[in-house]
């Protein structure tokens, strides 16, 4: 349960669509290796569960347990798969392990109930094995291990820390929603259609990514390594001799000729295209790369804040051009949430009304401002900051169970791909009157 909930949230996160992006980078194909591992894990888990149930029926019917060699092979494969899977994750995604205790804050009570049930079902096997064993050391081992496991299961509630369920009278304000590259489940990411769709979700801010073209025009695009246009545009057809270039090698006029929406309909990254109307599909198919100025005008029109990362090989000079573009747009400077760390002191002087947003390491140095961190950030630190009335935004929160946890924790806002799902929540999934 814990694993599936984590996977569900991260599979909807663009920054954690690691399987898709790695498969695309290495094979130029949309191969979601992450989901492939999840499916194999689900098959093995279901197989082991069914095998256990079959064994229980055999015991109830007083039939002998005779495990076929094929089952032994599959069980052995399952053990090896888990071992190498955990080892691989520990090496490849070590920084993701802090997410596990966070997930347990939501799932531990339910997992404990399930463990008690499983222990009850397995108890007949333990007693049967004890009576069948002849050697004293065998009997001791058969009794000692289940007793130790039982003690751990029944005592673990003493160590379970959770924000859920919330008490209704102590329920914090519902976190504001920030559209992660707009509403990327409803439209191609970082397009005007995507940001327009997020307005319908009631977002209080747009989150995006900014780069500068060869002729110094800030535009919206997340991928920023060589070949940055391959995933979300038709650059391979338009500029076949220039597909591995950086943003600074394309003029704004050239970027505007690219289609930035057709990939969304072809790859269906969130399995959401089938829910779109024909009109929406036609609109998505005709999206282009927008400029930062276009987004600022939309934000100004609807009084919505803008927060962005700045990706550039020349942060120093690009920061000044981006600040100039924002000031020239006429948007209320209080609506600008400045996240890029480069030349922050310059930004404070040039645009003192911008709201400074810090990542963890920067906040520790500045001891002030607003915080923008991943959802697996230290929960106790978030609670401490909120008591100090500091604004804390967490990214990327896509599933209702995780949003409920963040809500009960009292975070100020969440960056999400699923604004259309979270906007209708009236209370966390777990509340107590």
């Amino acid at each position: 349960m814990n694993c599936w909930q984590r996977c569900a949230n991260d599979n909807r996160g663009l920054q954690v669509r690691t399987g898709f992006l790695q498969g695309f980078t290495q094979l130029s194909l949309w191969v979601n290796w992450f989901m492939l591992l999840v499916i194999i894990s689900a098959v093995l888990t279901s197989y082991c569960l069914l095998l256990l149930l079959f064994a229980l029926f055999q015991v109830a019917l007083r039939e002998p347990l005779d495990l076929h060699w094929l089952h032994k092979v599959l069980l052995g494969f399952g053990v090896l798969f888990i071992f190498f899977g955990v080892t691989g994750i520990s090496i490849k995604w070590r920084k993701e392990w802090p997410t596990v205790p966070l997930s347990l804050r939501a799932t531990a009570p339910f997992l404990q109930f399930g463990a008690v049930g499983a222990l009850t079902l397995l108890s007949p096997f333990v007693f049967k094995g004890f009576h069948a064993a002849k050697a004293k050391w065998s009997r001791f081992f058969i009794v000692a291990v289940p007793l130790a496991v039982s003690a751990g299961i029944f005592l673990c509630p003493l160590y379970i820390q959770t924000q859920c369920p919330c008490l209704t009278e102590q329920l914090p304000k519902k976190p504001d929603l920030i559209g992660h590259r707009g509403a990327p489940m409803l439209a191609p990411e970082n397009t005007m259609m995507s940001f327009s769709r997020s307005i319908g979700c009631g977002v209080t801010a747009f989150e995006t990514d900014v780069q500068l073209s060869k002729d110094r025009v800030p535009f919206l695009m997340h991928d920023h390594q060589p070949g940055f246009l391959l995933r979300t545009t038709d650059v391979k057809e338009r500029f076949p001799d220039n597909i591995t270039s950086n943003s600074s090698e394309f003029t704004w006029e050239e970027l505007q000729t690219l289609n930035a929406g057709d990939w969304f309909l072809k790859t269906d990254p969130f399995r959401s295209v089938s829910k779109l109307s024909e009109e929406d599909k036609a609109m998505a198919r005709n999206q282009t790369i927008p400029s930062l100025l276009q987004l600022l005008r939309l934000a100004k029109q609807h009084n919505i804040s803008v927060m962005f990362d700045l990706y550039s090989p020349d942060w120093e000079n690009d920061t000044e051009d981006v600040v100039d573009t924002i000031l020239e747009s006429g948007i209320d400077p209080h609506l600008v949430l400045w996240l890029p760390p480069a030349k922050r002191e310059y930004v404070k002087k040039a645009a003192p009304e911008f709201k400074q947003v810090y990542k963890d390491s920067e906040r520790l140095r500045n001891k002030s401002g607003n915080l923008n961190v991943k959802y697996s950030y230290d929960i106790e630190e978030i609670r401490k900051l909120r008591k100090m009335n500091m604004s804390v935004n967490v990214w990327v929160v896509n599933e209702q169970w995780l949003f409920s946890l963040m809500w009960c924790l009292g975070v100020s806002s969440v960056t999400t791909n699923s604004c259309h799902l979270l906007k209708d929540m009236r209370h966390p999934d777990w509340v107590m009157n």
Side-chain angles (χ1 to χ4, degrees):
M1 181 179 180
N2 180 48
C3 176
W4 273 109
Q5 288 192 320
R6 158 91 195 286
C7 292
N9 183 78
D10 283 3
N11 186 51
R12 286 183 177 173
L14 286 174
Q15 91 290 352
V16 281
R17 255 188 328 180
T18 308
F20 266 135
L21 295 181
Q22 286 185 345
F24 182 81
T25 301
Q26 296 172 9
L27 303 176
S28 294
L29 296 172
W30 285 85
V31 181
N32 193 340
W33 299 111
F34 178 77
M35 279 307 299
L36 182 61
L37 293 176
V38 169
I39 292 171
I40 294 175
S41 301
V43 170
L44 289 174
T45 301
S46 301
Y47 164 75
C48 292
L49 178 62
L50 291 173
L51 191 62
L52 174 61
L53 292 175
F54 180 74
L56 292 174
F57 279 121
Q58 290 288 92
V59 171
L61 296 173
R62 299 183 182 278
E63 294 289 338
L65 292 176
D66 185 13
L67 198 63
H68 192 272
W69 67 266
L70 181 59
H71 294 304
K72 295 179 181 178
V73 170
L74 291 176
L75 286 173
F77 174 74
V79 171
L80 290 175
F81 181 82
I82 292 173
F83 173 78
F84 287 111
V86 172
T87 302
I89 291 173
S90 300
I91 296 173
K92 187 74 174 177
W93 295 297
R94 183 178 301 175
K95 62 181 180 180
E96 299 295 339
W97 275 113
T99 306
V100 174
L102 172 67
S103 302
L104 287 174
R105 286 179 176 261
T107 60
F110 307 104
L111 292 174
Q112 200 263 348
F113 293 149
V116 171
L119 189 66
T120 303
L121 292 174
L122 291 173
S123 58
F125 293 99
V126 176
F127 289 116
K128 185 176 181 179
F130 177 80
H131 289 295
K134 296 180 180 180
K136 290 185 178 180
W137 67 269
S138 297
R139 289 192 168 194
F140 173 78
F141 183 78
I142 291 173
V143 171
V145 173
L147 281 178
V149 173
S150 301
I153 291 174
F154 284 103
L155 292 177
C156 70
L158 298 175
Y159 300 95
I160 294 175
Q161 297 181 355
T162 180
Q163 278 67 47
C164 298
C166 294
L167 295 174
T168 304
E169 62 272 17
Q170 299 175 358
L171 187 63
K173 174 182 173 292
K174 180 180 178 180
D176 293 331
L177 301 180
I178 295 179
H180 186 231
R181 306 176 202 172
M185 295 180 68
L186 304 178
E189 65 177 77
N190 275 336
T191 62
M192 295 308 294
M193 178 183 178
S194 184
F195 293 109
S196 296
R197 289 293 180 268
S198 71
I199 294 174
C201 300
V203 299
T204 59
F206 299 136
E207 188 279 342
T208 187
D209 313 278
V210 175
Q211 301 181 51
L212 267 77
S213 65
K214 186 176 182 178
D215 46 348
R216 315 302 295 164
V217 176
F219 66 94
L220 311 184
M221 177 65 61
H222 173 264
D223 297 2
H224 50 280
Q225 301 298 335
F228 73 108
L229 294 170
L230 281 171
R231 183 173 67 88
T232 57
T233 75
D234 60 346
V235 67
K236 195 172 184 179
E237 289 75 34
R238 296 277 185 176
F239 303 99
D241 298 326
N242 201 20
I243 61 176
T244 60
S245 300
N246 292 304
S247 59
S248 58
E249 298 179 37
F250 286 92
T251 66
W252 172 235
E253 183 178 357
E254 290 172 331
L255 290 169
Q256 284 185 298
T257 65
L258 298 175
N259 183 294
D262 201 38
W263 72 275
F264 176 76
L265 301 177
K266 291 179 179 178
T267 62
D268 196 5
F270 295 103
R271 305 294 181 265
S272 57
V273 171
S274 61
K275 300 177 183 179
L276 301 181
S277 67
E278 292 302 318
E279 182 180 355
D280 285 342
K281 291 179 182 178
M283 183 180 297
R285 188 174 289 111
N286 293 316
Q287 291 301 297
T288 58
I289 297 175
S291 66
L292 175 61
L293 185 59
Q294 288 177 279
L295 181 64
L296 292 170
R297 288 171 177 168
L298 182 68
K300 177 183 177 181
Q301 179 183 354
H302 295 275
N303 199 37
I304 293 176
S305 298
V306 176
M307 180 171 65
F308 58 87
D309 280 308
L310 178 59
Y311 296 123
S312 166
D314 185 10
W315 277 25
E316 298 294 319
N317 293 324
D318 288 0
T319 296
E320 297 183 18
D321 287 336
V322 170
V323 170
D324 290 343
T325 298
I326 295 174
L327 295 177
E328 291 170 5
S329 72
I331 190 174
D332 182 350
H334 292 98
L335 294 177
V336 179
L337 308 177
W338 186 268
L339 184 59
K343 298 189 71 171
R344 194 180 286 275
E345 293 305 316
Y346 163 80
V347 176
K348 288 181 179 180
K349 293 179 181 179
E353 293 178 309
F354 286 4
K355 292 182 180 179
Q356 298 296 320
V357 182
Y358 297 95
K359 299 176 183 178
D360 179 32
S361 57
E362 278 194 299
R363 189 200 66 79
L364 293 176
R365 292 195 299 269
N366 289 273
K367 304 293 184 182
S368 63
N370 307 306
L371 186 65
N372 181 61
V373 292
K374 189 175 181 180
Y375 65 81
S376 56
Y377 190 70
D378 189 320
I379 281 184
E380 297 306 322
E381 181 69 9
I382 291 178
R383 182 184 286 112
K384 177 182 176 182
L385 293 171
R386 291 300 294 138
K387 286 182 179 179
M388 296 167 57
N389 204 32
M390 291 185 64
S391 176
V392 179
N393 177 67
V394 293
W395 53 268
V396 170
V397 175
N398 300 312
E399 292 295 317
Q400 290 186 352
W401 73 268
L402 185 56
F403 184 69
S404 297
L405 188 61
M406 295 296 106
W407 188 341
C408 293
L409 185 60
V411 302
S412 313
S413 57
V414 301
T415 302
T416 180
N417 299 316
S418 308
C419 63
H420 62 299
L421 301 178
L422 303 183
K423 70 181 179 67
D424 295 325
M425 290 184 65
R426 296 290 177 262
H427 53 74
D429 283 345
W430 308 279
V431 290
M432 294 178 62
N433 294 321

